[in-house]
Each structure stands twice: as C-alpha cells, then as structure tokens.
C-alpha cells in the first residue's frame, strides 16, 4: 500500500475462538511488583 | 493508527490521518467532500481504496468483541503471592503496606504455612500446568528460612504432580549477599530488584528503618547479582532480573532516573508511577499529568536515541509483541486477582491480591478453611473491561485490562470503577509503546527489504 504500512499481524479476533488455555503468566497491574501489564505479555503458546 | 478490536497497528501518512476524522467505513463521499480542497481527489480515492482493503482484512473497524466462549465462567487459581515477611528493613515513604506490616503486627510466615500454600495452589489449579508462586513482603529475604523450606517443597511437589511452578521474588536488595545470590540462581528465581534511579531520589524515599539512605548498599548488591548471571534476561517468562523503580511527584523528571540506572550499568529496567491517596508531598495528581505526559515523550526519545546509537536498553513497558499478544480471554482475565491469583498473608489468610492484604472486607478465607467467601471470587472474575462502565469505550481496554482493582478500590471503594490518574498515565505510556514498536517494526522491514 502507498499510504498505509501495517506493522503487525494482529491475532485478537482469531483468539476469540482458540484462546483461553490459561497457561500464561499472571499479570499484576499494580506498580509495586513487576506490573506485568497484559499488553506487554506474549501468548504462552506462541513462545 | 490502532484498530482496537483487531489489535492491528498501521503507520499512516498525513492524508489518511486527516481522513480518519471523517471516515467511518461507509461514507467515502463525505471524506472526499471534506478534504477535496486539501488533497487531490484522485489521491483521496486511492487512499479510500486502501482503507477498504484493511476493512476487508478485518484490520480496520473489526467487529466489537464480546465475552468469548473461551473465557471460563469461573477462574482457576494458578498463581499465589506469599507474604513471606510482613516486616521490612526499609521504611519507603510511599509504601502501601505500612512499612511492610500491612496494618498488622510485624510477623513472618512459618514454613508450615508456606507449604500449605503450595498444596493449596496445586489443589486449586485443575488442569493448569504452569503455575506461579511469588515471594513478596515486606522484605522476603528477612525470612529466608521459610523461602528455602517452601522452595524445597515446591520442587518435591513439582516432581510428584508434573506441574511447573515458576518462582519469583521482589526484593529491596538490603540482604542480598553471596550466599543468597547463589541460592536464588541455583533455584532459577526470577527476581525484581527495587531501585528508584538517582542516588538522591532513591535515598530520599527509600530510607532504612534507622533513617539512613539505602542506595549505596543495594546498588553494590545488585551489581553482584546481575554480574552473577552475566547480565539480566529481559524475557519476563524466564529467570529474569528486572530493576524496577517508582517515581513520585518529586521526580517527575524520571527519565533521568531511568538513564541513571542505565548509566549505573543496569539495562533491564522498569519505572512506574507511585499510587498514593492523601499524600500531598509524593502523590501524583491530575495537575501533574501534563508534566508526566511530557516526560514519557522525553523517555521515548531517549529510548529510541539509545537504540539508534547501539546502546539500547530494555524498558519493560515499551516492550510489546503486537502480533503474538495474549488472547481475548486473557485480556478479560487481566491480573486474575481474586479468581486466578490470590495472596496468602503470613498467618495463612487469603486475599484477592497482595494489595488487599489487611483490607478485611476482602478476606476470602484461609489455607485451613479454603476459600469460604462466596461473593468476591466471582465478582472479581466478572469485573473485566466489558463490565466496567468507564472501560467499555476506552481504546486502551484490551491492553490494560481495566487497570488495578486495588487502586480502583482505594480511590472509589469499588473495583468496577477506575483510578483515573492511573488510566491517564497508562494511556500515554501505551501510546509511547505503540510508537516505539511501530518504529522498530518499520526499521526491521526496511532492513529486510535492503
């Protein structure tokens, strides 16, 4: 494309059907620990 | 440009940027009419074609996301935080845990209670293979006797059950010595080390119980620890070492603190805003937000400059994998407090997370009784972004998962509310992270094309 560059291959919609295995790390949102915000995590099955 | 419901990130030119003020996927002629005087019509129509192509690929205006069937109705506990020592050898001025005691008598967890916690976790984990146990406080190294006993028991139970329990610890570093370092390394601990940046900043807010600065002592220990692993790993899923800091109203120029840690020789870093109520000296308030936003722009520039100069460092919150991020079910589960994640107080009482320890309304039960509360676990489970009125329409909702429940409770007494100042900072930080990732992706694409 001339006007748009897409920088990722998004997986959010696809994960509606095949996600939820629950094997990923907990993601504390508070500032006192790692504050491992969900958005900064990777899917465990995509290691 | 972020498409919220697909997670697609597009770098667009100025014309597309202007078109998106009008374009809703169905109104091409409105867009042309609005911008015909600014851009050639042929260019506008060409760009509209590209936007429709993205829509066809479901990477623009992707369908709204509702609770998927993959999101289980009730949670499975897979992570525990152990309050190994409700006592501390520092008196940090922003501590949410009342100097480590959490408003209770200073006390440490017994090995027996710690072992019961391991059994509780395994018993509650159902089919989950990967579990976590975090040694927290107060200062966990003040109770190495229990840390060691629990770790030994974890290894035994791993062998017996086939589960993998990842061990993590957050420490202020005061008691890190050669013996502890070797033991933590031998047992594959992931460790978070608390350092607030510049010496003067750190010493002002992290004094010892006797009122002395702690910087010199902990930095010396952190060097030993990081060197013992030949540098830190930045992969939060492995045996990482992170240096993490807290900034307050008094150091809103926190880029200097991040860079001070980098200059000190540490390159795996995190720096986060303090969360305080009724503390005029240190709390970050709405009035500070313009300054905070400006500082994240400064940090972003410093981060990219360092990267370009070949001296890049790892900043946790700028790190994102935009293609392989968590599934929607995970993004709804968020931190899992109260349903997938619980904290065990030193006496064995259970709470939704470490921050709720001592907030008696939220006590869930105990290791001896099990989870006796019938309300909170399900309420926490269902308190996801699609059920939080202030999150439903926020662009950030699938990145932050609604923020910290404990902070919402602290400011509003309701976990389905939000801590607004935290949200504002989160949105700015994510905006910077998306920018960083987009720039790095373009750089990679350019290299591949050459």
């Amino acid at each position: 494309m001339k006007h748009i560059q897409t920088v990722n291959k998004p997986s959010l919609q696809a994960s509606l059907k095949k996600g939820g295995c629950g094997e990923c790390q907990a993601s504390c949102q508070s500032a006192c620990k790692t504050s491992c915000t969900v958005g900064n995590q990777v899917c465990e099955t995509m290691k | 440009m972020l498409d919220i419901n697909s997670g697609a990130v597009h770098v667009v030119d100025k014309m597309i940027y202007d078109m998106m003020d009008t374009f809703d996927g169905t109104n091409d002629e409105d867009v042309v009419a609005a911008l015909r005087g600014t851009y050639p019509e042929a260019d506008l129509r060409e760009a509209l074609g590209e936007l429709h192509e993205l829509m066809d690929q479901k990477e623009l205006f992707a369908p709204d996301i509702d609770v998927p069937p993959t999101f289980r109705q009730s949670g499975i506990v897979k992570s525990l935080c152990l309050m190994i020592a409700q006592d501390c050898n520092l008196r940090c001025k922003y501590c949410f845990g009342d100097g480590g005691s959490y408003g209770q008598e200073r006390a440490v967890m017994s090995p027996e209670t710690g072992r019961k916690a391991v059994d509780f976790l395994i018993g509650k984990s159902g089919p989950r293979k990967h579990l976590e146990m975090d040694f927290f406080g107060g200062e966990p190294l003040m109770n190495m006797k229990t840390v060691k006993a629990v770790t030994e028991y974890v290894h035994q139970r791993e062998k017996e059950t086939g589960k993998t329990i990842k061990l993590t610890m957050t420490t202020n570093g005061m008691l890190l010595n050669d013996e502890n370092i070797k033991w933590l390394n031998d047992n594959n601990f992931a460790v978070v080390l608390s350092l607030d940046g510049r010496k003067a900043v750190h010493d002002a807010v992290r004094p010892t119980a006797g009122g002395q600065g702690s910087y010199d002592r902990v930095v010396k220990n952190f060097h030993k620890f990081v060197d013992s692993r030949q540098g830190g790993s930045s992969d939060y899923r492995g045996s990482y070492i992170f240096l993490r800091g807290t900034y307050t109203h008094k150091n809103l120029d926190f880029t200097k603190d991040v860079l001070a840690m980098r200059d000190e020789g540490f390159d795996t870093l995190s720096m986060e805003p303090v969360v305080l109520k009724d503390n005029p000296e240190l709390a970050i308030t709405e009035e500070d937000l313009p300054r905070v936003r400006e500082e994240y722009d400064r940090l972003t520039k410093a981060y990219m400059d360092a990267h370009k100069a070949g001296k890049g460092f790892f900043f946790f919150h700028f790190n994102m994998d935009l293609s392989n991020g968590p599934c929607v079910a995970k993004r709804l589960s968020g931190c899992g407090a109260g349903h997938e994640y619980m904290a065990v107080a030193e006496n064995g009482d259970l709470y939704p997370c470490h921050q709720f320890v001592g907030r008696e309304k939220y006590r869930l039960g105990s290791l001896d009784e099990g989870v006796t509360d019938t309300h909170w676990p399900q309420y926490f489970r269902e308190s996801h972004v699609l059920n939080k009125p202030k999150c439903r329409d926020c662009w950030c909702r699938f990145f932050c998962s609604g923020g910290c429940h404990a902070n919402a409770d602290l400011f509003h007494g309701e976990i389905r509310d939000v801590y607004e100042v935290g949200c504002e900072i989160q949105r700015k930080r994510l905006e910077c992270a998306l920018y960083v990732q987009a720039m790095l992706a373009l750089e990679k694409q350019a290299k591949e094309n050459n």
Side-chain angles (χ1 to χ4, degrees), chain A residues 2-3 5-10 13 15 21-26 29 31-33 35 39-43, chain B residues 5 7 9-11 13 46 50 63 78 128-130 132 134 236 244 272 319 323-324 330 341 399-400:
Chain A
K2 194 170 154 190
H3 304 277
Q5 278 181 281
T6 301
V7 300
N8 61 335
K9 291 186 173 55
Q13 289 282 326
S15 79
C21 74
E23 295 292 346
C24 45
Q25 181 174 333
Q29 314 287 86
C32 55
K33 298 218 280 189
S35 184
N40 301 103
Q41 287 192 263
V42 177
C43 173
Chain B
N5 290 312
V9 177
H10 312 287
V11 178
D13 64 14
E46 180 184 64
E50 293 187 10
K78 63 177 186 182
R128 298 280 181 270
K129 186 174 184 304
H130 295 95
E132 292 152 37
D134 185 38
Y236 67 85
R244 71 156 307 283
E272 300 170 69
N319 181 51
S323 297
N324 301 308
K330 168 68 177 178
Y341 168 65
F399 289 96
C400 74

Side-chain angles (χ1 to χ4, degrees), chain B residues 94-108:
Chain B
Y94 45 62
C95 182
F96 67 87
D98 307 303
S101 69
Y102 292 79
Q104 298 164 344
E105 289 288 311
R106 291 183 182 279
V108 297

Side-chain angles (χ1 to χ4, degrees), chain B residues 113-383:
Chain B
T113 300
R115 283 190 284 261
K116 279 185 194 168
V118 177
D119 287 333
F120 173 83
L121 174 62
I122 290 171
K124 286 277 180 190
S125 63
R128 298 280 181 270
K129 186 174 184 304
H130 295 95
L131 312 179
E132 292 152 37
M133 188 157 267
D134 185 38
F135 295 83
F136 201 66
E139 172 48 43
L141 292 181
M142 290 178 77
N143 187 14
M144 273 307 275
K145 181 183 164 192
T146 298
V147 171
K148 287 182 176 178
V150 173
T151 301
E152 196 177 309
Y153 191 58
V154 162
H155 294 326
Q156 178 194 323
R157 298 292 285 140
E158 281 180 322
K159 283 180 195 151
E160 290 167 358
T161 61
K163 306 258 184 190
T164 301
I165 303 181
K166 180 180 173 178
L167 302 172
T168 60
M169 178 184 282
T170 302
T171 175
N172 62 31
M174 290 290 284
L175 297 176
L176 267 181
N177 54 30
D178 292 343
E179 188 189 337
N180 288 339
I181 288 170
K182 181 174 186 316
W183 186 87
L184 289 165
N185 288 342
D186 288 347
N187 287 280
N188 296 320
F189 265 70
V191 185
V192 178
L193 307 170
S194 300
L195 186 70
D196 281 358
R198 290 165 287 183
K199 175 176 160 62
V201 169
H202 180 99
D203 281 343
V205 287
R206 298 182 67 83
T208 64
Q212 307 300 310
S214 59
Y215 182 90
D216 290 337
R217 180 164 166 180
V218 301
V219 164
K220 189 176 154 202
N221 293 344
F222 292 163
H223 273 301
K224 270 201 242 175
F225 196 9
V226 172
D227 290 348
S228 76
R229 294 197 182 184
Q230 285 89 44
S233 162
S234 57
D235 187 345
Y236 67 85
R237 296 166 298 176
S239 300
Y240 54 75
I241 299 181
F242 267 101
L243 273 286
R244 71 156 307 283
T246 299
Y247 67 84
T248 72
H249 173 73
K250 293 187 92 169
N251 63 315
L252 296 176
D253 56 349
F254 55 86
T255 300
K256 289 179 182 168
D257 294 293
V258 173
L259 296 179
M261 289 198 275
R262 192 272 315 264
D263 293 343
E264 186 58 50
F266 305 119
D267 63 2
T268 309
L269 309 171
S270 172
M271 175 65 78
E272 300 170 69
V274 76
V275 178
L276 283 171
K277 196 178 173 188
D278 305 326
N279 184 325
E281 189 193 358
L282 298 178
I284 294 172
T285 62
E286 205 177 335
E287 289 71 47
D288 292 323
L289 289 174
R291 180 70 184 81
V292 169
R293 290 191 192 99
E294 191 184 308
E295 196 61 24
Y296 275 107
D297 286 335
R298 192 167 288 121
L299 179 60
T300 303
K301 184 174 183 314
Y303 182 89
M304 292 305 291
D305 286 349
H307 168 75
K308 284 174 194 159
K311 295 176 181 170
F313 57 94
F314 185 95
F315 184 72
F316 184 84
H317 291 100
F318 287 172
N319 181 51
M320 302 174 94
D321 186 335
L322 295 173
S323 297
N324 301 308
C327 60
V328 171
K330 168 68 177 178
R331 291 174 197 254
L332 293 184
S333 301
C335 64
H339 53 105
E340 291 182 350
Y341 168 65
M342 291 181 188
V344 184
E346 58 78 24
N347 63 0
D349 283 354
L350 297 164
Y351 293 88
C353 86
H354 57 290
Q355 291 232 27
F356 285 99
V357 172
R359 299 186 199 179
E360 285 313 298
K361 174 177 144 186
Y362 291 98
R363 184 180 173 276
L364 302 177
S366 70
L367 293 174
D368 288 331
E369 306 162 326
V371 177
T372 50
D373 184 274
T374 54
H375 168 67
W376 288 120
Q378 201 56 30
Y379 192 77
F380 273 76
R381 180 74 180 166
E382 291 166 10
S383 296

Side-chain angles (χ1 to χ4, degrees), chain B residues 36-65:
Chain B
R36 192 180 277 127
T38 312
Y39 300 103
E41 184 171 338
D43 289 357
L44 289 167
R45 293 201 181 277
E46 180 184 64
L48 282 164
E50 293 187 10
L51 290 171
H52 282 285
E53 203 176 312
L54 291 186
M55 288 173 63
D56 292 343
Q57 292 164 0
K58 293 195 167 48
E59 292 181 1
L60 180 63
F61 302 132
D64 280 344
I65 286 176

Side-chain angles (χ1 to χ4, degrees), chain B residues 14-115:
Chain B
K14 178 71 167 63
M15 182 170 63
I16 297 260
Y17 183 86
D18 291 341
M19 290 166 75
M20 292 308 293
D21 285 340
T22 307
F23 186 60
D24 65 6
T26 64
N27 59 345
D28 291 18
E29 295 312 315
D30 292 345
V31 175
V32 173
L35 292 171
R36 192 180 277 127
T38 312
Y39 300 103
E41 184 171 338
D43 289 357
L44 289 167
R45 293 201 181 277
E46 180 184 64
L48 282 164
E50 293 187 10
L51 290 171
H52 282 285
E53 203 176 312
L54 291 186
M55 288 173 63
D56 292 343
Q57 292 164 0
K58 293 195 167 48
E59 292 181 1
L60 180 63
F61 302 132
D64 280 344
I65 286 176
D66 206 343
V67 180
T70 51
F71 183 69
R72 299 172 66 100
Q73 279 198 319
S74 53
I76 291 177
V77 179
K78 63 177 186 182
S79 183
L80 275 191
C81 177
L82 268 53
M83 313 307 286
I84 285 289
Q86 284 182 224
D87 194 1
C88 195
N89 42 18
L90 293 187
R91 293 292 180 272
C92 302
K93 295 191 174 167
Y94 45 62
C95 182
F96 67 87
D98 307 303
S101 69
Y102 292 79
Q104 298 164 344
E105 289 288 311
R106 291 183 182 279
V108 297
M109 182 178 283
S110 69
E112 187 195 6
T113 300
R115 283 190 284 261

